[in-house]
C-alpha cells in the first residue's frame, strides 16, 4: 500500500449493511470506502442505485454498492469490515439523532425561509418595474409604434432576461452537485453489533479467494452463465480473460457443461475456467477446511489450502 492510499483510507473496519434476513444482500453506502476498496483490494461489487426521476434506468447506476457474498466474507476475514443489520442500525440511529441534528434542522429551515422571501421580493420588484413601464407607455403618445417586439411581448409573468450585477446571497445559490452523504451523517454502527459471516459455497469461495490472492478482479458472471468474470486488472481498463466456475474436487461435472462452457468462452474470446480445492488423498480431508454443511470455514489464509484451476477452450470454432 502506498503512502497516498494509506492517507485516503477510511476508518476501518467499515460497516457492511445486510438489508434482508431472507434474501441476504450486502451493501456499502460510503463512496470513499467504495473507491478505496476498489483501488487497494480489487473489490468491485455492483452499483444498484438509481435516480428518483429515472427509477427504471439501468445504465449509469450509483450508490449503494452491492457486494457479492464472497467479497463480503473476504473483507470480514481480513478485518477490513464487519456486517450489521441495516434495518436495526438505521432504526437505532433515527431514534437517537446526533447532537447537531437539531441545530442543522433549524439552520436549514432558516435558510429555506430566507430563500423564499428573496424570491417573493424579486417577483414584487419585477412586477413594479413592468407596471411602471406600462404607465410610461400610456402617458407617451405614439410610444407603442416604436416599442421593440421583445418589450411589447413582455408581461409581469416573464422571467428576467438580464442578471443583476450584485452577487446573490449564499442562501439563494443552489448546490452545484448533490452530495453523496447527508449532514450530519448517521453515526457509524459499532462493531459489537456485527452479524455472522455470509453463507457462501465452499467451492465458489475457495476459487474466489485463490484468484483474488493472485491479483485478479472479479465481477458477477451471470451475463455469461458462470459464477465470476475474471479480469487481470480494473475492468475500466481491461476485458475479462476468464469465465470461472467453482466445483468440489470430487464433484462430477456433466460433459455437456464442459463443452457448452468451452464453446461459450471461446465464442466471446475468453477461457472457461474451472477450479476447486484439492482433496488430500492421505487423510481424505480438504485443505480448505470445509464444514459439514458444505460452507467455507472463515479465517483460513490462502496458503492454508491448495486450489487447482483448469482452463478449457473450444478448438472447433
Amino acid at each position: 500500500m502506498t503512502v497516498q492510499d494509506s492517507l485516503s483510507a477510511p476508518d476501518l473496519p467499515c460497516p457492511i449493511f445486510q438489508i434482508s434476513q431472507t434474501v441476504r444482500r450486502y451493501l456499502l453506502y460510503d463512496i470513499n470506502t467504495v473507491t478505496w476498496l476498489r483501488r487497494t483490494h480489487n473489490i468491485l461489487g455492483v452499483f444498484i442505485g438509481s435516480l428518483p426521476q429515472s427509477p427504471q434506468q439501468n445504465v449509469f447506476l450509483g450508490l449503494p454498492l452491492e457486494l457479492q457474498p464472497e467479497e463480503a466474507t473476504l473483507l470480514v476475514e481480513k478485518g477490513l469490515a464487519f456486517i450489521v443489520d441495516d434495518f436495526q442500525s438505521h432504526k437505532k440511529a433515527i431514534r437517537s439523532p446526533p447532537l447537531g441534528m437539531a441545530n442543522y434542522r433549524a439552520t436549514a429551515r432558516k435558510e429555506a425561509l430566507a430563500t423564499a422571501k428573496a424570491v417573493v421580493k424579486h417577483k414584487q420588484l419585477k412586477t413594479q418595474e413592468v407596471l411602471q413601464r406600462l404607465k410610461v407607455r400610456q402617458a407617451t403618445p405614439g410610444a407603442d409604434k416604436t416599442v421593440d417586439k421583445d418589450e411589447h411581448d413582455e408581461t409581469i409573468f416573464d422571467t428576467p432576461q438580464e442578471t443583476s450585477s450584485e452577487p446573490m446571497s449564499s442562501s439563494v445559490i443552489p448546490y452545484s452537485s448533490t452530495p453523496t452523504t447527508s449532514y450530519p451523517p448517521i453515526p457509524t454502527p459499532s462493531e459489537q453489533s456485527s452479524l455472522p459471516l455470509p453463507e457462501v459455497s465452499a467451492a465458489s469461495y475457495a476459487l474466489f479467494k485463490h484468484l483474488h490472492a493472485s491479483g485478479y478482479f472479479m465481477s458477477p458472471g451471470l451475463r455469461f452463465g458462470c459464477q465470476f468474470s475474471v479480469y487481470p486488472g480494473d475492468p475500466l481498463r481491461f476485458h475479462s480473460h476468464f469465465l470461472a466456475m467453482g466445483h468440489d474436487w470430487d464433484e462430477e461435472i456433466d460433459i455437456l457443461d464442459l463443452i457448452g462452457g468451452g464453446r461459450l468462452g471461446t465464442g466471446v474470446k475468453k477461457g472457461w475456467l474451472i477450479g476447486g480445492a484439492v482433496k488430500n488423498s492421505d487423510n481424505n480431508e480438504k485443505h480448505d477446511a470445509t464444514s459439514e454443511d458444505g460452507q467455507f470455514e472463515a479465517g483460513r489464509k490462502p496458503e492454508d489450502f491448495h486450489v487447482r484451476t483448469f482452463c478449457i477452450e473450444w478448438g472447433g470454432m
Side-chain angles (χ1 to χ4, degrees), residues 1 9 29 69 92 94 126 138 181 202 238 240 244 265 268 291 313:
M1 182 184 300
Y29 292 92
K92 181 179 179 180
I94 293 299
K126 183 63 179 177
Q138 294 175 357
T181 57
F238 299 92
S240 59
V268 294
S291 61
E313 295 183 5

Side-chain angles (χ1 to χ4, degrees), residues 139-160:
T140 305
D144 293 339
K145 299 180 180 180
T146 59
V147 174
D148 186 74
K149 183 178 180 181
D150 293 337
E151 291 188 7
H152 182 72
D153 294 337
E154 186 176 14
T155 65
I156 60 175
F157 302 103
D158 289 343
T159 56

Side-chain angles (χ1 to χ4, degrees), residues 99-114:
L99 297 178
M101 180 64 74
N103 295 334
Y104 170 73
R105 289 177 177 174
T107 303
R109 180 176 177 82
K110 184 177 180 180
E111 292 179 353
L113 292 175

Side-chain angles (χ1 to χ4, degrees), residues 75-242:
L75 293 177
V76 175
E77 282 189 6
K78 289 187 173 184
L80 300 175
F82 60 95
I83 300 175
V84 297
D85 190 324
D86 180 78
F87 174 75
Q88 295 297 336
S89 62
H90 191 80
K91 184 178 180 181
K92 181 179 179 180
I94 293 299
R95 287 183 174 180
S96 56
L99 297 178
M101 180 64 74
N103 295 334
Y104 170 73
R105 289 177 177 174
T107 303
R109 180 176 177 82
K110 184 177 180 180
E111 292 179 353
L113 292 175
T115 303
K117 291 180 180 179
V119 172
V120 172
K121 184 178 180 180
H122 177 76
K123 289 182 177 180
Q124 292 176 349
L125 293 176
K126 183 63 179 177
T127 302
Q128 294 177 2
E129 180 182 350
V130 173
L131 293 176
Q132 185 67 24
R133 191 178 304 173
L134 292 176
K135 290 181 180 180
V136 173
R137 291 176 184 174
Q138 294 175 357
T140 305
D144 293 339
K145 299 180 180 180
T146 59
V147 174
D148 186 74
K149 183 178 180 181
D150 293 337
E151 291 188 7
H152 182 72
D153 294 337
E154 186 176 14
T155 65
I156 60 175
F157 302 103
D158 289 343
T159 56
Q161 299 296 328
E162 67 280 347
T163 58
S164 175
S165 59
E166 299 181 358
M168 298 178 65
S169 174
S170 60
S171 60
V172 181
I173 299 176
Y175 285 109
S176 58
S177 62
T178 302
T180 57
T181 57
S182 59
Y183 181 83
I186 294 178
T188 302
S190 64
E191 192 175 356
Q192 298 176 354
S193 58
S194 178
L195 298 178
L197 288 174
E199 296 182 0
V200 293
S201 169
S204 64
Y205 185 67
L207 180 61
F208 177 88
K209 198 169 186 179
H210 170 74
L211 294 175
H212 184 272
S214 301
Y216 288 98
F217 288 71
M218 278 161 288
S219 66
L222 182 61
R223 179 186 306 176
F224 299 105
C226 60
Q227 290 177 332
F228 310 110
S229 295
V230 185
Y231 300 81
D234 194 297
L236 295 176
R237 300 177 56 196
F238 299 92
H239 289 288
S240 59
H241 284 190
F242 304 105

Side-chain angles (χ1 to χ4, degrees), residues 15 46-47 50 62 79 88 101 115-116 118 128 143 169 174 184 189 191 203 245 252 256 269 292 295 304 307 317:
V46 178
F47 286 106
S50 61
Q88 295 297 336
M101 180 64 74
T115 303
Q128 294 177 2
S169 174
E191 192 175 356
M245 286 288 294
E252 295 184 1
L256 293 180
K269 299 181 181 180
E292 296 180 357
Q295 303 300 323
D304 293 340
V307 175
M317 297 181 67

Side-chain angles (χ1 to χ4, degrees), residues 248-260:
D248 291 327
W249 185 252
D250 53 359
E251 177 184 351
E252 295 184 1
I253 306 175
D254 195 329
I255 187 63
L256 293 180
D257 293 338
L258 295 179
I259 295 175

